[in-house]
Amino acid sequence: MSASAGVSRLVMALVAVLATAACDGASAPVAAPTAGPATSSVASTAPTASVGPVYRAQDLDLCKRTDLRPLAELSLTVARTDPKPPLGQPGAACLFEMRMKDGHQANLRVEASTPVSEQEARLLYRATAQVTVMTPAGVIAGVGDEAEAFTRRSEPGFKYAEYMVRARTGNLVVKVWLAVGGTSYAATETLASKALTLLKATQAAVPTV
């Protein structure tokens, strides 16, 4: 099998995995970003060797390691945690199902995936953008080799604001999804600053081999 064919198969597998990856909290009426049809293809490139550190997140307990103090001003109470790891990828994750002070739903998912190579991490990073139903909010500088954010607002019986930021550094892909419900939409700037703080802390927590 050629390198191009192998990478193409990997892309298809990643898109299939991401298309079925959703937070399945039993008490959460609104789940994590669901998948839509891919609208573009990822360019096939020959595998390249990583020249930086190699990360390994498989043994990381993100439910315990995630510091929720950046969310303090939102007055959230954790109702349940789910440590289910990233679907189809080596790594660690935690879904925090929470409630606002007024009883509205809030959710946080922190995820660190460490594919076996930097090339696979690049494909995973790009595939996320292909399948998410969230709206791109721009590139973010200074938090990895590449990073960008997404937003979404909906009304499942209340105002539900979502913000997702993801970043890749070498073979490490970190994703933070924060969603808050209320009688009015939470400000995007508020969610963005908190999600970015959590993303940087998660990056720092993942050990290298």
Side-chain angles (χ1 to χ4, degrees):
M1 180 187 298
S2 67
S4 177
V7 172
S8 296
R9 290 192 177 185
L10 176 58
V11 173
M12 294 175 63
L14 288 173
V15 172
V17 166
L18 288 165
T20 58
C23 298
D24 56 354
S27 63
V30 179
T34 53
T39 57
S40 61
S41 61
V42 177
S44 296
T45 57
T48 57
S50 174
V51 296
V54 176
Y55 295 89
R56 176 184 170 85
Q58 288 90 316
D59 302 319
L60 192 63
D61 188 341
L62 284 178
C63 289
K64 291 183 178 179
R65 290 293 301 271
T66 302
D67 185 353
L68 299 179
R69 284 180 293 180
L71 306 180
E73 72 176 84
L74 297 177
S75 300
L76 298 172
T77 300
V78 177
R80 176 178 175 267
T81 60
D82 183 353
K84 185 181 299 182
L87 184 62
Q89 290 292 326
C94 187
L95 168 66
F96 297 85
E97 294 180 5
M98 302 175 286
R99 289 291 180 269
M100 304 288 289
K101 190 174 183 179
D102 62 5
H104 282 99
Q105 170 194 353
N107 291 293
L108 168 69
R109 181 171 172 84
V110 180
E111 185 175 301
S113 300
T114 47
V116 296
S117 69
E118 181 175 329
Q119 176 68 5
E120 291 188 19
R122 287 175 179 171
L123 294 174
L124 174 63
Y125 177 87
R126 295 169 188 170
T128 301
Q130 290 186 308
V131 300
T132 184
V133 297
M134 299 181 72
T135 302
V139 172
I140 298 176
V143 289
D145 298 330
E146 48 189 338
E148 63 181 322
F150 299 83
T151 62
R152 187 186 187 197
R153 288 183 172 184
S154 58
E155 293 190 44
F158 53 91
K159 306 291 187 181
Y160 197 61
E162 305 173 51
Y163 187 89
M164 180 173 71
V165 59
R166 63 194 179 94
R168 182 192 65 80
T169 302
N171 74 312
L172 169 64
V173 179
V174 173
K175 179 167 62 178
V176 173
W177 171 69
L178 177 60
V180 174
T183 55
S184 60
Y185 290 115
T188 298
E189 295 77 9
T190 298
L191 300 182
S193 64
K194 298 181 185 310
L196 190 57
T197 297
L198 291 168
L199 180 132
K200 291 177 178 178
T202 304
Q203 289 175 318
V206 180
T208 56
V209 176

